[in-house]
Amino acid sequence: MENKTIARTLRLLSQLMELHEENPFKIKSIANAYFKIDKLPFALKDKPNDEIDKIDGIGKSLAAKIVELLETGELTELNDNINKTPDGVVEMLGIKGIGPKKIFIIWRTLGIESIGELYYACNENRLIEAKGFGLKTQEEIKNAIEFKLAANGRFLYAQVEAFADMLYAQISEWLNKTEQQPLLAFAGQYRRACEIIDELEFVIGAENASDVKNKLTSFEPLSLIVGEDALITTTNTGLRIKIFVVDEAAFYLEWFKQTGNNEHVEEVLKLAGQGSFASEEAIYSAAGLAFIEPELREGLDEIELAKTNKLPTLITYEDLKGSLHNHSTWSDGVHTLEQMAVYCKDVLNLEYFGICDHSKTAVYAKGLNEQRVFGQHQEIDELNNKLAPFKIFKGIESDILSDGSLDYSADVLKTFDFVVASVHSNLRMDELKATTRLIKAIENPYTTILGHPTGRLLLSRAGYPIDYRKVIDACAANNVVIEINANPLRLDLDWRWHRYALEKGVLLSVNPDAHRTDGFHDTRYGILVARKGGLSATKCLNACSLVEITEHFEKKSIALR
């Protein structure tokens, strides 16, 4: 074992001991040994074991640990500390800029146990509530996590978007100087609006394709090399890029091929053939199919639907009439209730706004106890008089407790216009328990919407396992809407289950879970995955007009009387 490995092992031990508040003198001794061993001019493995404790700064206790490492490759004390620490907390120690003292607060005070949860907390502005944290520290931690996630070569759609648009503009500008009326388009995962992006793909159609391909190798923003079928590179952030260059006449066929997944492309081309096409619409027409939007080209049932003209008219951002599931300074939001509502009214031109601050169990998020619920409702009444005909609906994000109950009595729950029931704690249940828990919450007569059903955080937390069919069936039986949480870290309910929900007659609601005015713009990511799932405006709760959604809420209320 090399000195650096020994040093890093001891450093990790000292960090974990600090997390568990062990003897500070012992922690300091082990931490100091990390620096000393890392700088030794000789290899410890070459030293006789009985001489290690004679090295300056290393006493008998540390020498025993080093010998154990050299002889077994492990350290019992380290393993014991790792075993009593959540894996995600151990992983946090690898994030640049946050040491054990801050991680102790993140874990013990805020109850955050994974990098994904920490990143989400940064987005929700929750870290600044903790001692020793400010906006600057929160932003530094967020940036460090983004850098760490990028090292895996996988990105959220939202993380890639700004760079993709910038690169598209640069390629377009370069092409227009090189070619007469070139064709350029996004393809692949990005065009299909996949929630996770591994590659960013472009297709170029040019009159002099070979010439353009050769010149692209000197395109300055990228260091492109000629691959087997495309120009390829990887950015310094780890994002793979592919650029396909074809003759202008072959552009639409190539664009089609590089957009859909393999199953979709193969099935359509079996029907359409390999001719020259003037548009993608012409490809589907030749196949005897209705045009299939890029988001749907995932090799599911879209081709069968296209054969029988049963494809849904996919929802658009413009179809939305209101925004539900949002937070304000009453709990862990950044902007006041009035600021959030006015932004929806004046900037987004929406008809209504649903406030869903956290309920009393969410102490970490300043959840509302019964008295504060009453206070917020008074403010809502005043604002509704002031902002009419715009409407603020009285909602709450009520925590689903471990046994499936909600954390208010029926007397409190009936004061809300709607209730979003969500799980925020005890995420380690097995599938049976997690499913039973959700179904009990769904069967609560006051539950209007099931919020982010699995609690997943993309690229960092898989979410708890549930029997999707049973949960969706329960929502259908109890007239409960299922949320598509539009936060790009969540996008939960997963789009692969939207169709089953729609088949069962369940309405979906695209909710931004906004904690500040900027957060409303996350709604468009929810719309993108809603389109992937086949959602139409007629099946989306917040595409209802103010009159329609008022009737929906009132029907639920009347049924409870």
Side-chain angles (χ1 to χ4, degrees):
M1 183 176 289
E2 301 300 323
N3 284 6
K4 279 192 178 296
T5 304
I6 296 170
R8 287 171 185 164
T9 302
L10 292 174
R11 184 190 186 201
L12 177 58
L13 174 60
S14 70
Q15 290 173 323
L16 290 171
M17 290 170 66
E18 193 169 347
L19 277 181
H20 293 287
E21 299 182 296
E22 295 188 25
N23 186 312
F25 296 104
K26 187 177 178 183
I27 293 168
K28 188 174 181 180
S29 172
I30 295 172
N32 288 339
Y34 158 72
F35 294 103
K36 183 163 290 293
I37 292 169
D38 193 42
K39 302 298 182 185
L40 285 176
F42 54 83
L44 283 169
K45 64 181 180 181
D46 297 331
K47 275 276 183 184
N49 289 348
D50 59 1
E51 292 183 14
I52 291 176
D53 64 345
K54 296 179 176 62
I55 298 170
D56 183 38
I58 298 177
K60 289 188 176 181
S61 177
L62 273 172
K65 289 178 175 55
I66 293 168
V67 170
E68 183 183 352
L69 275 170
L70 290 170
E71 291 182 345
T72 69
E74 294 185 343
L75 195 54
T76 301
E77 190 174 358
L78 176 62
N79 291 340
D80 290 343
N81 274 281
I82 288 174
N83 289 336
K84 63 182 181 181
T85 311
D87 292 343
V89 174
V90 176
E91 193 178 2
M92 283 181 210
L93 290 166
I95 299 174
K96 187 178 179 181
I98 49 173
K101 286 184 174 63
K102 282 190 166 60
I103 292 174
F104 178 87
I105 296 169
I106 289 166
W107 175 27
R108 299 292 193 181
T109 305
L110 301 179
I112 294 169
E113 294 190 352
S114 75
I115 288 178
E117 290 172 355
L118 178 57
Y119 187 62
Y120 188 72
C122 290
N123 282 341
E124 289 191 326
N125 228 42
R126 196 173 292 166
L127 256 64
I128 62 171
E129 301 293 332
K131 184 180 178 181
F133 290 84
L135 278 171
K136 184 179 178 183
T137 303
Q138 180 175 266
E139 193 62 25
E140 287 171 351
I141 291 172
K142 182 182 175 184
N143 291 338
I145 293 172
E146 286 178 348
F147 182 81
K148 183 176 177 65
L149 292 176
N152 298 324
R154 308 194 76 206
F155 300 81
L156 303 177
Y157 181 97
Q159 289 176 315
V160 171
E161 187 176 31
F163 173 75
D165 289 344
M166 179 188 71
L167 186 55
Y168 181 96
Q170 290 173 333
I171 296 172
S172 180
E173 183 182 0
W174 180 87
L175 278 173
N176 286 325
K177 292 176 182 177
T178 308
E179 273 283 308
Q180 292 293 318
Q181 297 182 320
L183 299 169
L184 171 67
F186 288 115
Q189 296 168 332
Y190 190 75
R191 189 179 180 215
R192 297 203 309 276
C194 295
E195 65 272 40
I196 303 297
I197 304 296
D198 299 312
E199 287 184 339
L200 185 58
E201 297 171 74
F202 299 87
V203 178
I204 293 172
E207 188 176 332
N208 299 302
S210 59
D211 184 48
V212 169
K213 193 171 183 179
N214 289 332
K215 287 179 179 177
L216 266 171
T217 56
S218 59
F219 176 59
E220 282 188 6
L222 301 174
S223 299
L224 293 159
I225 61 172
V226 180
E228 186 175 338
D229 56 356
L231 292 154
I232 58 175
T233 191
T234 301
T235 69
N236 56 10
T237 61
L239 178 64
R240 296 190 298 277
I241 295 172
K242 277 188 176 182
I243 302 178
F244 299 85
V245 184
V246 296
D247 292 331
E248 198 171 316
F251 173 79
Y252 289 101
L253 179 59
E254 188 68 19
W255 191 25
F256 166 78
K257 286 180 177 179
Q258 300 306 331
T259 293
N261 75 357
N262 292 337
E263 291 81 3
H264 180 91
V265 171
E266 288 173 7
E267 287 301 311
V268 173
L269 291 183
K270 280 180 186 177
L271 300 169
Q274 291 277 351
S276 178
F277 298 98
S279 66
E280 281 194 316
E281 287 82 356
I283 297 172
Y284 287 102
S285 180
L289 302 172
F291 179 75
I292 300 174
E293 296 287 352
E295 296 96 324
L296 295 176
R297 302 179 196 176
E298 294 286 355
L300 299 175
D301 62 348
E302 69 271 14
I303 292 174
E304 291 304 312
L305 293 173
K307 284 178 180 178
T308 54
N309 282 310
K310 291 182 180 178
L311 285 168
T313 300
L314 298 182
I315 191 168
T316 66
Y317 183 84
E318 291 69 30
D319 289 323
L320 299 183
K321 302 296 189 295
S323 180
L324 303 172
H325 188 174
N326 304 289
H327 300 263
S328 73
T329 50
W330 277 92
S331 65
D332 60 344
V334 174
H335 292 110
T336 66
L337 178 56
E338 183 171 5
Q339 286 172 324
M340 296 289 278
V342 168
Y343 193 88
C344 281
K345 175 180 179 288
D346 294 343
V347 179
L348 302 179
N349 297 313
L350 297 175
E351 296 179 17
Y352 54 86
F353 164 69
I355 187 66
C356 284
D357 277 307
H358 286 283
S359 59
K360 64 180 181 180
T361 301
V363 177
Y364 59 88
K366 297 191 298 182
L368 278 65
N369 61 25
E370 288 80 356
Q371 290 75 25
R372 294 182 68 224
V373 167
F374 177 73
Q376 187 184 66
H377 287 183
Q378 286 185 308
E379 183 183 357
I380 291 171
D381 290 339
E382 292 169 5
L383 287 171
N384 276 334
N385 289 329
K386 179 179 177 180
L387 301 174
F390 184 85
K391 176 74 179 283
I392 302 173
F393 285 106
K394 298 170 182 174
I396 194 76
E397 185 175 20
S398 185
D399 268 29
I400 300 174
L401 305 180
S402 294
D403 65 354
S405 59
L406 303 186
D407 61 345
Y408 291 119
S409 68
D411 286 340
V412 177
L413 290 171
K414 70 182 181 184
T415 67
F416 298 104
D417 294 315
F418 71 109
V419 173
V420 175
S422 305
V423 170
H424 292 105
S425 60
N426 197 359
L427 303 177
R428 292 181 175 82
M429 290 183 174
D430 60 31
E431 183 177 306
L432 178 59
K433 287 183 179 178
T435 300
T436 302
R437 177 191 196 182
L438 286 187
I439 290 174
K440 182 175 177 182
I442 291 163
E443 290 174 344
N444 187 307
Y446 292 98
T447 298
T448 315
I449 300 172
L450 177 63
H452 45 71
T454 72
R456 78 179 185 181
L457 295 172
L458 292 167
L459 294 180
S460 53
R461 186 175 76 194
Y464 45 87
I466 61 171
D467 186 322
Y468 283 90
R469 292 181 187 275
K470 286 183 178 179
V471 169
I472 292 169
D473 290 348
C475 287
N478 292 276
N479 193 29
V480 169
V481 179
I482 299 180
E483 173 178 82
I484 302 171
N485 190 292
N487 186 301
L489 277 162
R490 289 194 183 275
L491 301 178
D492 182 19
L493 180 72
D494 189 290
W495 62 265
R496 295 160 187 83
W497 285 99
H498 294 182
R499 297 186 193 197
Y500 182 76
L502 296 171
E503 287 169 9
K504 292 293 181 177
V506 175
L507 290 178
L508 302 179
S509 182
V510 182
N511 298 335
D513 199 354
H515 286 69
R516 64 188 83 192
T517 54
D518 285 352
F520 288 118
H521 298 286
D522 283 348
T523 303
R524 62 180 303 276
Y525 301 116
I527 289 293
L528 289 174
V529 296
R531 288 171 63 85
K532 288 189 73 60
L535 180 63
S536 60
T538 57
K539 304 295 183 182
C540 178
L541 178 64
N542 54 310
C544 291
S545 68
L546 176 57
V547 171
E548 291 167 335
I549 200 166
T550 300
E551 288 177 356
H552 180 92
F553 291 154
E554 285 179 350
K555 279 181 184 178
K556 184 99 173 174
S557 177
I558 290 168
L560 293 171
R561 292 174 192 166

